Amino acid sequence: AQSVSQHNHHVILSEAASLELGCNYSYGGTVNLFWYVQYPGQHLQLLLKYFSGDPLVKGIKGFEAEFIKSKFSFNLRKPSVQWSDTAEYFCAVNAGDMRFGAGTRLTVKP
Amino acid sequence: DTGVSQDPRHKITKRGQNVTFRCDPISEHNRLYWYRQTLGQGPEFLTYFQNEAQLEKSRLLSDRFSAERPKGSFSTLEIQRTEQGDSAMYLCASSSGTGVISGANVLTFGAGSRLTVL
């Protein structure tokens, strides 16, 4: 069965700093890849997804992620974070059923 | 359609009691998933259905956990003889699509049902 690893447990940044959150998965077959976000007190929402085609995908709120098949990675990036990006970010892999990483808590200081 | 609905939002029970959570998915979605989330952790996959068929249940945490989706619409998750370690948020999600390569395999989550076992 597939598994998902998120290496950063808690990231603290100042506003306008650049962000990169790591995600690696273990599954040899075809997968769909996702990033979900959970703002404080809210439920999980889709940030972006990769199914096929261009490995650089763009999502909402200026986020993007790059699928590197050879590295089994799907890292999330944003060039300039805002205070409102403070949330928990989850990487997920779907190869039949959806599995999530442990999450990365992002705190953006104003 | 107002999205995925879960009921109750919060359940407080005493150890040893049985609890049941209900999930109403988005009406046109044929897949339904149950997850458990504890504080500071990602959602932990429990089981999922395609229509009324339960396609994966080996990840259910113990034989005290069971899930049903009798008519392929709403689903229930039951925990028998609850233990304090069962305290968590139980999430339901739904999606449409079948195969792995499907543009419709995007999960929409409900707000969750929080269980507190005293």
Side-chain angles (χ1 to χ4, degrees), chain B residues 5 24 27-28 30 32-33 40 42 47 53 58 69 73 84 97-98 104 108:
Chain B
S5 299
D24 287 90
S27 57
E28 61 266 29
N30 59 348
L32 186 148
Y33 301 76
T47 186
S58 65
R69 195 184 184 196
S73 56
Q84 288 184 324
T98 53
T108 300

Short mmCIF file of all heavy atoms in Angstrom, two decimals, chain B residues 5 24 27-28 30 32-33 40 42 47 53 58 69 73 84 97-98 104 108:
data_model
loop_
_atom_site.label_atom_id
_atom_site.label_comp_id
_atom_site.label_asym_id
_atom_site.label_seq_id
_atom_site.Cartn_x
_atom_site.Cartn_y
_atom_site.Cartn_z
N SER B 5 -22.34 16.13 4.63
CA SER B 5 -22.87 16.41 5.96
C SER B 5 -22.55 15.28 6.92
O SER B 5 -22.67 14.11 6.55
CB SER B 5 -24.40 16.58 5.90
OG SER B 5 -24.75 17.65 5.07
N ASP B 24 -23.70 11.92 5.13
CA ASP B 24 -24.46 12.07 3.89
C ASP B 24 -23.54 12.71 2.85
O ASP B 24 -23.18 13.88 2.99
CB ASP B 24 -25.69 12.94 4.12
CG ASP B 24 -26.76 12.20 4.91
OD1 ASP B 24 -26.74 12.27 6.15
OD2 ASP B 24 -27.58 11.54 4.27
N SER B 27 -24.72 14.14 -3.38
CA SER B 27 -25.68 13.17 -3.90
C SER B 27 -25.19 12.42 -5.14
O SER B 27 -25.46 11.22 -5.30
CB SER B 27 -27.01 13.85 -4.20
OG SER B 27 -26.83 14.92 -5.10
N GLU B 28 -24.44 13.06 -6.00
CA GLU B 28 -24.02 12.37 -7.22
C GLU B 28 -22.70 11.62 -7.06
O GLU B 28 -22.22 10.99 -7.99
CB GLU B 28 -23.91 13.36 -8.39
CG GLU B 28 -22.90 14.47 -8.19
CD GLU B 28 -23.53 15.73 -7.62
OE1 GLU B 28 -24.55 15.62 -6.90
OE2 GLU B 28 -22.99 16.82 -7.88
N ASN B 30 -20.31 8.62 -5.99
CA ASN B 30 -20.48 7.20 -5.74
C ASN B 30 -19.46 6.64 -4.75
O ASN B 30 -19.63 5.53 -4.25
CB ASN B 30 -20.42 6.41 -7.07
CG ASN B 30 -19.10 6.60 -7.80
OD1 ASN B 30 -18.31 7.48 -7.47
ND2 ASN B 30 -18.87 5.78 -8.80
N LEU B 32 -17.38 6.91 -1.11
CA LEU B 32 -17.47 7.50 0.23
C LEU B 32 -16.35 6.95 1.08
O LEU B 32 -16.10 5.74 1.09
CB LEU B 32 -18.85 7.19 0.84
CG LEU B 32 -19.18 7.85 2.18
CD1 LEU B 32 -20.68 8.13 2.28
CD2 LEU B 32 -18.71 7.05 3.36
N TYR B 33 -15.68 7.83 1.80
CA TYR B 33 -14.50 7.47 2.58
C TYR B 33 -14.71 7.85 4.05
O TYR B 33 -15.32 8.88 4.35
CB TYR B 33 -13.27 8.23 2.08
CG TYR B 33 -12.91 8.03 0.64
CD1 TYR B 33 -13.63 8.63 -0.38
CD2 TYR B 33 -11.81 7.25 0.29
CE1 TYR B 33 -13.27 8.47 -1.71
CE2 TYR B 33 -11.44 7.07 -1.05
CZ TYR B 33 -12.18 7.69 -2.03
OH TYR B 33 -11.82 7.51 -3.35
N GLY B 40 -2.86 17.10 15.49
CA GLY B 40 -1.50 17.18 14.99
C GLY B 40 -1.12 16.10 14.00
O GLY B 40 0.04 15.98 13.61
N GLY B 42 -2.25 13.75 10.30
CA GLY B 42 -3.05 13.74 9.09
C GLY B 42 -4.20 12.77 9.18
O GLY B 42 -4.21 11.90 10.05
N THR B 47 -11.70 3.25 5.80
CA THR B 47 -12.41 2.39 4.87
C THR B 47 -13.04 3.23 3.79
O THR B 47 -13.16 4.44 3.93
CB THR B 47 -13.51 1.58 5.60
OG1 THR B 47 -14.09 0.62 4.69
CG2 THR B 47 -14.61 2.47 6.16
N ALA B 53 -20.79 -1.08 -2.09
CA ALA B 53 -19.73 -2.07 -1.86
C ALA B 53 -18.58 -1.47 -1.05
O ALA B 53 -18.04 -0.43 -1.42
CB ALA B 53 -19.22 -2.57 -3.21
N SER B 58 -9.61 -3.28 5.58
CA SER B 58 -8.54 -3.84 6.40
C SER B 58 -7.89 -2.80 7.31
O SER B 58 -7.19 -3.15 8.26
CB SER B 58 -7.48 -4.47 5.49
OG SER B 58 -6.85 -3.48 4.69
N ARG B 69 -22.93 1.12 4.18
CA ARG B 69 -23.53 2.05 3.23
C ARG B 69 -24.59 1.26 2.47
O ARG B 69 -24.42 0.93 1.31
CB ARG B 69 -22.48 2.63 2.27
CG ARG B 69 -22.97 3.84 1.52
CD ARG B 69 -21.94 4.33 0.50
NE ARG B 69 -22.39 5.55 -0.15
CZ ARG B 69 -21.86 6.03 -1.26
NH1 ARG B 69 -20.85 5.39 -1.85
NH2 ARG B 69 -22.32 7.14 -1.80
N SER B 73 -26.04 5.35 -0.53
CA SER B 73 -26.18 6.81 -0.35
C SER B 73 -25.46 7.21 0.94
O SER B 73 -24.24 7.34 0.95
CB SER B 73 -27.65 7.21 -0.33
OG SER B 73 -28.35 6.49 0.67
N GLN B 84 -10.96 5.14 25.54
CA GLN B 84 -10.49 6.53 25.54
C GLN B 84 -9.61 6.82 24.33
O GLN B 84 -9.61 7.92 23.80
CB GLN B 84 -9.76 6.84 26.84
CG GLN B 84 -10.70 6.94 28.02
CD GLN B 84 -9.99 7.33 29.30
OE1 GLN B 84 -8.86 6.92 29.55
NE2 GLN B 84 -10.67 8.12 30.13
N GLY B 97 -16.26 9.10 -9.71
CA GLY B 97 -15.21 8.44 -10.48
C GLY B 97 -14.93 7.06 -9.97
O GLY B 97 -15.34 6.67 -8.88
N THR B 98 -14.23 6.30 -10.78
CA THR B 98 -13.96 4.92 -10.44
C THR B 98 -12.47 4.60 -10.53
O THR B 98 -11.84 4.28 -9.55
CB THR B 98 -14.74 3.96 -11.35
OG1 THR B 98 -14.47 4.31 -12.72
CG2 THR B 98 -16.23 4.09 -11.11
N ALA B 104 -12.10 12.99 -11.73
CA ALA B 104 -13.12 13.22 -10.73
C ALA B 104 -12.73 12.68 -9.37
O ALA B 104 -13.50 12.72 -8.44
CB ALA B 104 -14.43 12.58 -11.18
N THR B 108 -14.18 15.51 -1.39
CA THR B 108 -14.79 16.64 -0.70
C THR B 108 -15.09 16.18 0.72
O THR B 108 -15.78 15.17 0.92
CB THR B 108 -16.09 17.08 -1.39
OG1 THR B 108 -15.79 17.47 -2.74
CG2 THR B 108 -16.70 18.26 -0.65
#
